[in-house]
Amino acid sequence: MVPGLRQFTDRTGEGAGVPVLDTENGEELKHVEPGVAIVIANRSPEAPGTLYISSRKVVWLSDVDREKGYAVDFLALSLHAVSRDPDAFPSPCIYAQVSYSVFYL
C-alpha cells in the first residue's frame, strides 16, 4: 500500500453505500463525483467507483465491491494537479502525490 493512502471500506447505506464520516467531530461531505477510476502507482486501473471529498479527506469507493476503497487525509497530500498530458497518462486525470508516492484519479 502507498504510504499515506489507506484501505477504507467503512460504508453506510444500501447498494454501493457512502463513506462513514466523523460527523461528531465536524467532518462534512463536500463533493461527490461518480464514475471515477483510480490507478495507484503502476497498477492496473480499478473498476469505476465514486470519489467523495469531505472536509478532512478524499475517499474513493468501488461501486461494485463494497470491500474495496481507499482514503487519504488532506495532510498526506503533498501535490495535486489536473493533467491532460497523454504522455503522462492516457486520459485526463487528477495527478496526486501522497507521502512521496504517486497515484492517478
Side-chain angles (χ1 to χ4, degrees), residues 13-86:
E14 299 296 317
V18 296
V20 174
L21 303 178
D22 187 7
T23 55
E24 289 182 12
N25 289 309
E27 185 176 17
E28 300 175 7
L29 188 60
K30 298 294 188 177
H31 184 76
V32 177
E33 191 67 36
V36 174
I38 186 171
V39 178
I40 300 172
N42 294 325
R43 297 184 199 171
S44 297
E46 301 281 353
T50 302
L51 187 70
Y52 299 88
I53 301 173
S54 80
S55 55
R56 296 194 180 166
K57 63 184 169 271
V58 177
V59 177
W60 178 87
L61 297 177
S62 170
D63 290 342
V64 296
D65 183 353
R66 284 184 68 103
E67 296 301 314
K68 188 169 280 191
Y70 304 100
V72 61
D73 295 324
F74 285 142
L75 294 177
L77 287 171
S78 57
L79 172 77
H80 68 282
V82 173
S83 174
R84 291 183 178 85
D85 179 2

